[in-house]
Amino acid sequence: TCFFSLSGCPRATFAGKKGKLSGDEILNTKFKTSDVLENDEEIKQLNKEISELNESNSEMEAAMVKLQSQISTMEKNLKNIEEENKIIEEQNEALFLELSGLSQALIQSLANIRLPHM
């Protein structure tokens, strides 16, 4: 503790310097009413933009789900068409073999026919 007057006490002088703020510093550290209003408007605008972005994201997600569903359906249809085409190709091959056998049988039966001499 100091036995001198407060103005002469080094502790009081240090505490005074430490605790004193200039007018500019006070204005800089305290919010002005206009700053609070501007910040409130900015926050409202940011909240509005966030809400719009969330809505847009939801719409995009719904569109993506719909698109994925359409792609999945198209892939299933394509797979079904490929399977049907494979069955048709196998049927065509069987028919071709049958036709080949019939044409050979026809040629052999015609070879045994005797035509009259003209």
Side-chain angles (χ1 to χ4, degrees):
T1 56
C2 292
F3 296 107
F4 306 105
S5 67
L6 281 178
S7 61
C9 178
R11 290 184 182 173
T13 304
F14 177 71
K17 285 182 183 175
K18 187 177 174 185
K20 278 189 181 178
L21 292 174
S22 70
D24 289 337
E25 290 173 329
I26 290 172
L27 285 177
N28 288 338
T29 56
K30 288 187 178 180
F31 288 109
K32 297 178 195 171
T33 305
S34 62
D35 289 342
V36 171
L37 290 176
E38 285 175 16
N39 286 340
D40 192 42
E41 287 300 316
E42 288 176 8
I43 289 171
K44 285 180 182 177
Q45 183 63 31
L46 287 172
N47 283 336
K48 182 181 176 186
E49 290 175 14
I50 288 170
S51 178
E52 289 171 356
L53 284 172
N54 284 337
E55 185 177 335
S56 175
N57 284 345
S58 295
E59 290 172 2
M60 291 295 282
E61 286 174 8
M64 286 297 294
V65 167
K66 185 177 179 181
L67 188 58
Q68 286 175 340
S69 174
Q70 290 173 342
I71 289 171
S72 178
T73 301
M74 289 175 73
E75 287 174 343
K76 287 178 185 175
N77 289 342
L78 181 60
K79 188 175 180 182
N80 289 340
I81 289 170
E82 287 174 348
E83 289 173 359
E84 288 172 7
N85 284 347
K86 187 177 179 183
I87 291 169
I88 290 170
E89 286 175 9
E90 289 171 356
Q91 289 174 345
N92 284 346
E93 189 175 334
L95 288 172
F96 178 76
L97 290 173
E98 187 178 346
L99 178 62
S100 177
L102 289 173
S103 64
Q104 286 179 359
L106 178 63
I107 291 170
Q108 287 176 355
S109 66
L110 289 175
N112 294 330
I113 294 177
R114 293 183 185 180
L115 297 173
H117 294 288
M118 299 261 180

